[in-house]
Every structure is written in C-alpha cells, then in structure tokens.
Amino acid sequence: MPEPVTPVSFPSAFLWGAATSAYQIEGAAREGGRTPSIWDTFSHTPGRTAGGDTGDVAVDHYHRYREDVALMARLGLNAYRFSVSWPRVQPTGRGPAVQVGLDFYRRLVDDLLAAGIKPAVTLYHWDLPQELEDAGGWPERDTAHRFAEYAQIVGEALGDRVEQWITLNEPWCSAFLGYASGVHAPGRTEPVASLRAAHHLNLAHGLATTALRSVLPKHASIALSLNSSVVRTVTQDPADLVAGRQIDDLANGIFHGPILHGAYPGTLFESTASLTDWSYVHDGDLRAIHQPLDALGLNYYTPTLVSASGPDTAGHQADGHGASEHSPWPGADGVTFHQTPGERTEMGWTVDPTGLHELIMRYARQAPGLALYVTENGAAFDDKPDQDGRVHDPERVAYLHGHLSAVHRAVADGADVRGYYLWSLMDNFEWGYGYEKRFGAVYVDYATLERTPKSSAQWYGQAARSGALPPAGTP
C-alpha cells in the first residue's frame, strides 16, 4: 500500500486572504468628490494601455462591495487586503479629507469585520493625485510630506477598526516603471528622477509610519509591501556576479537598505555615480526612514535572471516589466536580463515556487523577529467560461499549490510567516495591460460585471477553511 500523504497544514492563526487595489477594481472615478489620479490621466492618454482601457468603471467594486465581501465570506477567506484611493479621500493631495470618500472605506471595513474578515489597509497602491504629479510627483520632496498627512487622515478615520496597515505597495514600480521606463503612470522616462522618486518614497514610508504611530492604537501593525526580486545570475563568473549585485541593489537594497538597516548600499552609490550624487538625501532622512516596523509584506511572482552584457546579448529587454525603449534600471546598461526556463503564465513570467521560499528565507535572516506576510502572489492565465458558465483554471490551482507549499517549507525552516494574500480576488484592470490579463480567482464578465468563482477560488477557499492544502487536482 502507498504511504499516506501527510497534509500540508498551516498554523491555526495563519491569515488566508486575497488582495486588490483601488484603481484596479473600484470604478466610480468621478463620484463622491474623487479627482483624477496619475493612473486616470495615464490610462486616458492614447497608446498607454492595451485597447485604450481605463479604470473608470473597472469592476465597479465601489457600488458592489457588499456583494464582494459576501463572496469572500462564502469562500472562507479570513483576511482582505485593499488599498485606499488617495484622490477619493484627499482629492488634491492636500488639505482636509472628503468625508464621503472616507465613508466608503468605513462601510467596507464594517462589512468585512461583520463577516469575520480581517481588513489590511494599503495606503498607496500607485494612485497619486494628479495635482501632486503636476507639482513634480515623487521626485519632489514635498510629496513625501503630503503622503504623511494623508496617512494620518486615514489612520484617524479607520484606526479604531483596522489593525493591519501597509504604507506603500511596491515602491520599486512607482519609482522605476513610473519615472524611468514609463510603462506605468505617470509615464516619465527620466533615470535621475526615478532615483529621486525612490528616495522620496522611502521618506514617505518613514514619515507616514511616524504619523500612523501618533494616531493608531499600540496594538496596530505597520508594514510595507516590497516586490523584492530574487536575482539569480547565469553563471558564477565575476562579471555576472557584479551584474547580479547591481540589479539586487536597484531592486532590493535601495528600499530595504534604508528601511530595515538605516543605510543605502555603498555599491548602489557607485553604480549610479554617473547619474547622480544623491545630494537629495538630506541630513536626518535616513533616521526618518528607518522606523521600527511590525511586519514586512513580500510580493512575489517570478525570479530574475541576469548576466553581464556581451556582444550577443540584448540588454534589459527581457526583464518582464513591459516593453519600453527606456530601461527601468538606471545605470545598469551593462546588464542583460534573460528569460528563466520553465512553464510560463500569460504575463510571460516563469512559474518557480523555489523563488518564493528563497525570498522569504532571505528576509527571515535579514530582519529576524519581524513578522512576514506574502502580500501578493498569483498568476494570469487565459481563463474562459465553459458552455455551462463554469471557469476551470487548473493551471492556477497548480500554481497556488506550489507556492503555498513553498510558504509552508519556509515556515518549517523557521520563518515567521503569518499570512498569504492571493493576487487577486477577482479579474480587474491590469494596469498597462488593460483588461487582457486575468489574475483573479473570481472571473468577471466585463460586459455584465457578473462574478463567477473559478476552480482556483473553490480550491483556495477549501484551503482557507481547513488550514491545509487540498491536492492540486481538487476543484
């Protein structure tokens, strides 16, 4: 007889969640006093998004949030990570809040709590008020101070009901896709501005953390979510290792250096010396950035494979972050990005759960004692309903089983991982890709906005309810 399979079980307090962001799902772009964000402007600019798609309606979560909360409850989720739309709460990025905007999030939080679902609030998921971009955006120091003011407003409004707070989501994307390669809003292609933006995003995180501490209860948890790259090199040749270190500095060290350790990597300064002298780092900035955290969010999709450029390589084009003539890696012109081998998602990203285990263990070593959450992990596949209206996505089920198994291995190896947030709860506006890429566990018919849980939603819900992973072939 075959040996019985030991179920992959998680700690009883483990959070089983899903994640979304405001611009990708809310819609109601002009209701309740909301003004344009940089993504409204970007998506309405011809040629910026696939099909000219925008988030004007998205999946209409603003009006359908009760339906969506009920759906999460039926699936058995016990946590939900969402972002607050800055221009819905503080339309110009300055001054008092619009209460009708805050009221939407108050109602959402109340419904989540009533359903037994723990809310996790992300304050910034890329929707900078357009008026702040008109004043210079993240490359300007003042934006960091405006963000701290906004953080305090939301903290005061929701702090009595929300315990988990995330300041920034993926500041790397905000800085380098927004200001260097231009594939994300605001679509600028200015390498020096992107480095300035990275520093001011770090400063914004630190100032917002201090502001939140001043208004939140002592038991509140403050974190940020990094899309730290798992950087691997083609060979162990010294030139490839230098290339790997350069990308690791730009992807990871530029954020976790000052945030976790109070200093930027010296090698980062060296590799970008031809672009900037970093004089925008003022006295006291690193102290302001290096605030104690309660947790760290890790977003992971696929590893990064690099080498030193040679006569037969093509530069940065295969880095997986969208097509642009401009690199999101300032100062790294001598680095080539390679496609990693293996099965790929609709994004062209390799499915490799070992990278998630590697990422978790890196931060377990770098920040011992800091609670870790996987705040995004998921995959886009070409999901379609069958003739009966059901949506079977066995590829996503296999993806989730593999990556959650990697999380379990990390826990067994001593990492303090306390939760997992599937990206995403439902299909939505996928930034520059418009509505072409479906990451959701719930299928959305964009014509009717009807929600249909896919096989992966049923599988994940079973895992959430039992605290253990069903076999990958279980619907």
Side-chain angles (χ1 to χ4, degrees):
M1 292 181 63
E3 291 291 325
V5 177
T6 303
V8 177
S9 299
F10 286 76
S12 59
F14 193 82
L15 293 181
W16 297 86
T20 63
S21 86
Y23 189 71
Q24 292 180 274
I25 68 166
E26 284 183 2
R30 298 173 185 84
E31 291 187 39
R34 184 187 180 279
T35 57
S37 74
I38 55 175
W39 267 99
D40 293 277
T41 302
F42 186 84
S43 65
H44 279 270
T45 302
R48 291 296 201 177
T49 65
D53 291 340
T54 76
D56 286 2
V57 176
V59 296
D60 198 31
H61 173 74
Y62 184 83
H63 297 109
R64 298 168 183 254
Y65 72 93
R66 292 189 189 279
E67 173 189 348
D68 295 334
V69 171
L71 177 56
M72 285 185 267
R74 287 197 302 275
L75 291 174
L77 305 189
N78 61 13
Y80 175 52
R81 176 183 170 232
F82 64 93
S83 77
V84 172
S85 168
W86 190 349
R88 191 178 297 287
V89 166
Q90 197 185 29
T92 66
R94 304 174 189 275
V98 172
Q99 290 302 315
V100 68
L102 284 173
D103 285 344
F104 168 70
Y105 297 106
R106 291 184 178 108
R107 293 192 301 272
L108 173 60
V109 167
D110 287 345
D111 277 24
L112 290 166
L113 292 174
I117 299 170
K118 188 171 187 174
V121 168
T122 301
L123 288 169
Y124 186 72
H125 200 131
W126 308 351
D127 48 359
L128 184 71
Q130 182 60 44
E131 287 200 24
L132 291 185
E133 174 58 28
D134 293 342
W138 286 113
E140 293 302 318
R141 187 178 190 84
D142 184 63
T143 306
H145 292 279
R146 302 286 67 74
F147 180 71
E149 178 185 86
Y150 155 70
Q152 183 167 329
I153 287 171
V154 182
E156 289 173 339
L158 302 179
D160 60 335
R161 284 161 285 187
V162 175
E163 294 181 6
Q164 288 196 304
W165 294 81
I166 295 166
T167 54
L168 305 174
N169 179 76
E170 299 186 354
W172 184 88
C173 294
S174 297
F176 296 113
L177 300 184
Y179 292 94
S181 70
V183 299
H184 278 192
R188 289 162 61 178
T189 53
E190 305 162 33
V192 176
S194 73
L195 293 167
R196 292 174 59 94
H199 175 65
H200 294 139
L201 282 155
N202 286 335
L203 183 60
H205 159 76
L207 296 175
T209 299
T210 300
L212 287 172
R213 294 263 184 238
S214 73
V215 297
L216 294 181
K218 292 188 182 301
H219 65 269
S221 171
I222 300 176
L224 85 160
S225 289
L226 298 176
N227 58 319
S228 296
S229 294
V230 176
V231 181
R232 297 167 177 170
T233 57
V234 172
T235 74
Q236 294 299 299
D237 182 87
D240 283 358
L241 294 178
V242 169
R245 176 57 188 263
Q246 190 171 3
I247 297 307
D248 190 73
D249 284 345
L250 285 167
N252 304 324
I254 194 170
F255 298 108
H256 73 222
I259 289 169
L260 297 181
H261 308 301
Y264 285 103
T267 45
L268 172 68
F269 293 152
E270 294 169 11
S271 68
T272 58
S274 64
L275 295 171
T276 178
D277 61 3
W278 289 81
S279 58
Y280 41 83
V281 180
H282 293 186
D283 289 345
D285 280 5
L286 291 172
R287 287 192 301 276
I289 294 167
H290 183 41
Q291 297 299 312
L293 289 177
D294 302 295
L296 180 65
L298 299 175
N299 296 356
Y300 172 81
Y301 293 94
T302 193
T304 298
L305 184 64
V306 302
S307 71
S309 296
D312 299 323
T313 56
H316 75 273
Q317 285 88 338
D319 71 351
H321 291 293
S324 173
E325 296 178 358
H326 304 272
S327 172
W329 305 99
D333 296 339
V335 178
T336 292
F337 290 80
H338 301 264
Q339 285 275 18
T340 51
E343 177 192 354
R344 302 191 193 290
T345 70
E346 282 291 303
M347 297 293 288
W349 298 343
T350 303
V351 178
D352 188 347
T354 68
L356 180 54
H357 178 269
E358 183 179 333
L359 182 67
I360 292 170
M361 297 314 299
R362 174 179 186 172
Y363 283 97
R365 292 188 297 270
Q366 279 210 2
L370 194 62
L372 302 175
Y373 293 84
V374 178
T375 41
E376 283 186 28
N377 177 237
F381 293 106
D382 186 19
D383 305 315
K384 292 183 173 66
D386 65 16
Q387 60 184 6
D388 297 318
R390 297 173 298 187
V391 183
H392 298 288
D393 56 343
E395 302 93 346
R396 186 173 290 103
V397 171
Y399 182 100
L400 294 177
H401 188 278
H403 285 78
L404 279 161
S405 296
V407 174
H408 185 267
R409 288 196 301 276
V411 172
D413 290 341
D416 184 14
V417 187
R418 300 189 185 179
Y420 175 95
Y421 291 85
L422 165 67
W423 186 269
S424 178
L425 173 64
M426 54 190 162
D427 298 331
N428 54 47
F429 176 79
E430 188 47 44
W431 307 116
Y433 295 95
Y435 295 98
E436 290 185 353
K437 308 297 184 186
R438 292 181 178 269
F439 276 87
V442 174
Y443 182 87
V444 177
D445 181 325
Y446 293 127
T448 66
L449 299 178
E450 181 181 1
R451 279 88 155 126
T452 303
K454 305 174 189 178
S455 298
S456 59
Q458 308 293 354
W459 182 92
Y460 186 62
Q462 185 176 339
R465 290 188 297 273
S466 66
L469 301 186
T474 304

